[in-house]
Amino acid sequence: MAGQTLYDKLWQQHVVESRDDGTALIYIDRHLLHEVTSPQAFEGLRLAGRQPWRLDANLAVPDHNVPTDAAERSGGVDGIVDPVSRLQVKTLDDNCGDFNIVEIPINDRRQGIVHVVGPEQGATLPGMTVVCGDSHTSTHGALGALAHGIGTSEVEHVLATQCLITRKMKNMLVKVDGQLQPGVSAKDVALAVIGRIGTAGGTGYAIEFGGEVVRKLTMEGRMTLCNMSIEAGARMGMVAVDDTTIDYVKGRPYAPTGEQWEQAVAAWRELHSDADAEFDTVIELRGEDIQPQVTWGTSPEMVLPVDGSVPDPEAQPTATAKEAVRRALEYMGLSAGQKITDIRPDRVFIGSCTNSRIEDLRAAADVVRGRKIAASIKQALVVPGSGEVKAQAEAEGLDRIFIDAGMEWREPGCSMCLAMNADKLGAGEHCASTSNRNFEGRQGFGGRTHLVSPAMAAAAAVAGHFVDVRSIAEDV
Amino acid sequence: MKAFTVHSGIAAPMDRANVDTDLIIPKQFLKSIKRSGFGPNLFDELRYLDEGQPGQDCSKRPLNPEFALNQPRYAGASVLLARENFGCGSSREHAPWALEDYGFRCIIAPSFADIFFNNCFKNGVLPIALPADTVDSLFEALYANEGYTLEIDLPAQVIRTPDGSSVAFEVEPFRKHCLLNGLDDIGLTLESADAIRAFEVLYRERAPWLFGSIR
């Protein structure tokens, strides 16, 4: 009999009941909540007269609506200018108070994007099942956890029962061997994988990322990679536990200590696919083949290496594909054959649950250090993923590097990734963004998003157009 | 949840691949703390020519005449015919809430994104995946016939077309059961409360570090 994959093991450890129809009741260890997808779930509990099943499994933090402007932020919840956003954040506070759920509130130093805060606080650990009403919950799979996004009905279901009714996914291995070239990061790997398999390529699968390149990635890099599994269609992505994982978790506020730490580590050491495990699909990439990536269209699969040129609709194989490219070019204001390096961003956004961790900020700072952003850039936002990331960056002097270059150093939150707060693009504006989705209107009505790595966003800010970060020294 | 048994309704086209949940319901409307009222903002950026804001009276906004749902022939549509990977992106359940609030009870496409697919069933909306060539033929028939009406028979698992032909579809038995009866699955899961408690006792022995750290 073939061995088990990492996903098989995680699944098996959490099955409460298997049912004849192929579904199973799966136990949930950690449930993260934020203000956008939880109010209707709490309301559902109230209407049904139900209480949370297990309080200590839940942790809440507001992130989507919070202002990142220091002045507005200083007023806390009451200081949020937009009344609709204010009510939503206030509602999270009230619901957590009413149901006794632990919340990290808006101006707590630990506050930040839920997918940055969870691992950072040790609230998400290897071997856990982790869910949240947010599709980028796949991020937590980087710790060797089974983590995925859920809808609001399921948020209510998890609150009430500590379980989910679900069906086992198929196994996909994305194996990246060899090594990455300098200047190429986990974000480029994620985009290259999506470019290869498409935004529906992972639908129905749990992805495990493996291979030499993944083994050498830091935890921050692994989180970036797993974060974007959903952009490849997979609800979850994961990486096997190794020393990098265990070193990262050790000493985190909610991580186990003493005897329980030893016991936990022994269990976590088993969290890898067996050598003879069989995957339903295997995708292989070579690290040295991956160039810095830039998206040109309105779906993350519309991506090219930075030295590429925008495709021609007429060259597409099917009528649907021709139409999709034609529509994307029209929305993006680009023409077939245009060089990626000729696209000039109006704004730059460095942040989001994909790329707002300390390593991301260091990579961006390395590029802008001692330089100025181009005069044509209207705004370059740097939004740390959490208060802890912000404090660390400030201790390293990264904030000064950004400010001296002409960038804005903000308070933590989701910010311009989805523009639910005041940070947004104007119609027709192009943005070099380290976020995860380039959908129409995502960063603001009529806004045009180009997804890139933090180093590539910083390089575009300095050059005023997309440029291979590896050539920035000569180019600027 | 509204039960779904046999539904007959006008079909409308959403003729593009990879329709994401940002397109189905843009983020500014996610600030609502309610579960209803999203219908007027369904496909907001395609449907109107201006930028929509929460709380606005949408009846006074300029409509995009090219958008299918604004055309008289699709008025009152309750079946949406769509393309590959419908509902990709964000997990927002506001997407099926908006579709349902607008009046859609059934979405037919060659494929769906996983989370969206799951969310539909929680809201009395039936997503049906059919082979791409079958969906192509339905699109052709829909464009050729004004008032093209489909009958979706969930108990029999068939779609009946106006020309009298029928197309069989798959649906998971548990999901079918819940939809047919309009069941709240929290109540069903709580019938297994003893099994969940028994699991927790053993699990706590095996992995005590997973309990009690957050309080």
Side-chain angles (χ1 to χ4, degrees):
Chain A
M1 198 181 90
Q4 289 183 299
T5 65
L6 169 59
Y7 172 63
D8 294 339
K9 292 180 186 181
L10 292 167
W11 171 269
Q12 193 181 48
Q13 287 169 9
H14 292 87
V15 175
V16 174
E17 268 182 7
S18 288
R19 292 164 179 179
D20 295 341
D21 64 358
T23 61
L25 202 57
I26 291 292
Y27 191 79
I28 302 302
D29 296 315
R30 181 67 71 234
H31 182 208
L32 302 168
L33 298 108
H34 64 78
E35 78 278 20
V36 180
T37 55
S38 66
Q40 297 86 351
F42 283 113
E43 193 55 24
L45 288 186
R46 258 188 212 101
L47 290 171
R50 290 175 176 136
Q51 286 294 319
W53 179 277
R54 210 190 109 198
L55 289 174
D56 69 341
N58 299 287
L59 181 66
V61 60
D63 57 5
H64 284 59
N65 280 272
V66 300
T68 62
D69 174 76
E72 186 178 349
R73 186 65 170 263
S74 65
V77 179
D78 294 336
I80 301 176
V81 173
D82 177 351
V84 194
S85 290
R86 186 169 64 236
L87 176 64
Q88 201 165 49
V89 177
K90 177 86 172 44
T91 303
L92 181 68
D93 289 358
D94 292 348
N95 282 328
C96 289
D98 290 352
F99 287 95
N100 289 312
I101 283 171
V102 174
E103 183 195 7
I104 297 177
I106 183 167
N107 281 347
D108 190 296
R109 175 182 154 129
R110 300 167 300 162
Q111 182 274 343
I113 306 171
V114 65
H115 308 308
V116 175
V117 172
E120 189 173 79
Q121 292 301 319
T124 46
L125 296 171
M128 276 183 166
T129 40
V130 181
V131 296
C132 173
D134 192 289
S135 59
H136 289 111
T137 309
S138 56
T139 310
H140 307 264
L143 291 125
L146 193 167
H148 63 82
I150 54 178
T152 298
S153 294
E154 289 182 322
V155 169
E156 186 182 338
H157 192 278
V158 171
L159 280 168
T161 70
Q162 211 52 49
C163 291
L164 276 181
I165 303 165
T166 184
R167 180 178 285 273
K168 195 160 181 243
M169 310 297 255
K170 290 182 286 183
N171 281 289
M172 177 186 286
L173 175 65
V174 173
K175 196 159 175 272
V176 192
D177 278 320
Q179 58 179 9
L180 295 180
Q181 300 176 44
V184 176
S185 72
K187 179 65 164 286
D188 301 302
V189 177
L191 288 170
V193 169
I194 296 161
R196 166 82 81 85
I197 70 174
T199 51
T203 303
Y205 288 94
I207 297 181
E208 178 176 345
F209 294 98
E212 282 171 82
V213 163
V214 177
R215 295 261 64 84
K216 283 186 202 148
L217 285 178
T218 59
M219 285 310 293
E220 285 87 348
R222 294 177 188 183
M223 286 187 229
T224 300
L225 195 53
C226 291
N227 172 277
M228 291 195 70
S229 305
I230 186 68
E231 274 66 52
R235 290 180 81 169
M236 57 195 107
M238 60 195 78
V239 175
V241 172
D242 59 11
D243 288 343
T244 304
T245 324
I246 289 166
D247 292 346
Y248 175 89
V249 173
K250 191 164 190 179
R252 305 241 159 221
Y254 291 127
T257 54
E259 197 184 319
Q260 282 196 358
W261 169 258
E262 300 303 329
Q263 203 182 343
V265 170
W268 296 343
R269 291 282 182 199
E270 303 299 318
L271 296 175
H272 53 79
S273 291
D274 295 331
D276 58 344
E278 283 178 11
F279 288 84
D280 299 288
T281 301
V282 178
I283 306 287
E284 294 184 82
L285 283 83
R286 291 295 304 177
E288 34 308 309
D289 294 344
I290 300 173
Q291 309 297 320
Q293 306 279 306
V294 182
T295 66
W296 53 268
T298 52
S299 167
E301 70 187 17
M302 294 174 164
V303 64
L304 284 168
V306 62
D307 62 359
S309 299
V310 174
D312 184 350
E314 292 312 312
Q316 306 309 308
T318 65
T320 309
K322 281 187 174 72
E323 178 58 15
V325 171
R326 189 201 59 74
R327 198 193 320 254
L329 293 189
E330 185 184 321
Y331 181 85
M332 295 296 289
L334 300 174
S335 43
Q338 190 175 349
K339 283 181 163 176
I340 295 286
T341 49
D342 287 342
I343 301 172
R344 306 185 68 86
D346 301 285
R347 294 180 199 264
V348 175
F349 171 61
I350 297 173
S352 85
C353 59
T354 312
N355 280 131
S356 63
R357 298 178 183 82
I358 190 67
E359 179 184 289
D360 301 316
L361 302 188
R362 286 177 189 144
D366 280 347
V367 175
V368 300
R369 183 178 284 114
R371 296 190 165 109
K372 297 279 181 203
I373 62 170
S376 56
I377 303 286
K378 293 180 194 167
Q379 182 183 45
L381 286 181
V382 186
V383 186
S386 71
E388 296 288 356
V389 171
K390 181 168 186 267
Q392 175 68 31
E394 288 174 354
E396 295 178 19
L398 305 185
D399 57 326
R400 289 309 324 166
I401 295 171
F402 293 125
I403 293 165
D404 290 347
M407 301 169 108
E408 296 177 32
W409 179 243
R410 295 293 191 101
E411 299 297 313
C414 297
S415 183
M416 205 194 274
C417 173
L418 83 169
M420 279 190 75
N421 69 352
D423 310 333
K424 54 185 76 166
L425 297 182
E429 288 179 344
H430 289 265
C431 180
S433 179
T434 67
S435 57
N436 40 57
R437 290 185 176 137
N438 51 351
F439 299 153
E440 290 181 20
R442 170 85 178 178
Q443 294 191 288
F445 183 74
R448 296 162 168 169
T449 304
H450 301 274
L451 303 175
V452 286
S453 72
M456 284 289 287
V462 170
H465 56 88
F466 288 106
V467 59
D468 189 331
V469 64
R470 297 169 296 182
S471 69
I472 186 91
E474 307 92 83
D475 198 89
V476 179
Chain B
M1 185 177 87
K2 243 188 244 177
F4 190 115
T5 48
V6 179
H7 175 82
S8 181
I10 292 179
M14 176 42 85
D15 198 351
R16 59 196 275 177
N18 298 315
V19 169
D20 57 75
T21 54
D22 277 79
L23 204 62
I24 298 174
I25 182 84
K27 71 265 169 191
Q28 63 268 38
F29 306 108
L30 274 49
K31 296 181 188 187
S32 167
I33 56 172
K34 297 191 193 132
R35 211 178 178 113
S36 57
F38 295 99
N41 300 111
L42 174 71
F43 298 121
D44 199 274
E45 293 181 2
L46 300 175
R47 197 161 146 198
Y48 303 100
L49 293 169
D50 62 345
E51 180 180 0
Q53 295 304 332
Q56 217 175 357
D57 177 0
C58 291
S59 66
K60 299 192 168 59
R61 296 173 59 195
L63 294 173
N64 174 5
E66 288 176 16
F67 184 57
L69 296 186
N70 291 333
Q71 295 165 11
R73 62 178 292 186
Y74 301 119
S78 59
V79 177
L80 190 66
L81 194 57
R83 295 289 184 187
E84 291 82 5
N85 200 26
F86 189 84
C88 61
S90 155
S91 62
R92 59 189 68 165
E93 199 161 316
H94 311 68
W97 292 341
L99 287 159
E100 198 271 343
D101 196 57
Y102 181 92
F104 286 113
R105 297 299 315 278
C106 177
I107 303 159
I108 301 170
S111 59
F112 294 88
D114 286 332
I115 302 179
F116 174 82
F117 186 75
N118 203 27
N119 284 340
C120 283
F121 285 100
K122 315 282 183 193
N123 294 283
V125 175
L126 174 62
I128 299 177
L130 293 177
D133 52 355
T134 310
V135 174
D136 282 343
S137 331
L138 288 172
F139 265 104
E140 279 172 32
L142 178 155
Y143 286 132
N145 300 285
E146 194 152 333
Y148 189 69
T149 298
L150 293 173
E151 184 183 83
I152 291 89
D153 183 337
L154 179 59
Q157 294 184 215
V158 290
I159 301 168
R160 295 189 189 92
T161 66
D163 66 7
S165 62
S166 59
V167 181
F169 64 87
E170 296 290 322
V171 57
E172 287 175 22
F174 178 70
R175 288 176 154 154
K176 179 178 176 179
H177 173 70
C178 289
L179 262 188
L180 284 175
N181 299 290
L183 293 177
D184 155 17
D185 56 18
I186 294 178
L188 292 176
T189 298
L190 287 174
E191 289 174 9
S192 299
D194 289 344
I196 302 171
R197 281 192 206 97
F199 176 89
E200 266 180 341
V201 169
L202 292 174
Y203 192 50
R204 190 188 284 260
E205 280 174 23
R206 200 171 75 216
W209 64 87
L210 294 175
F211 291 80
S213 63
I214 293 177
R215 58 177 84 229

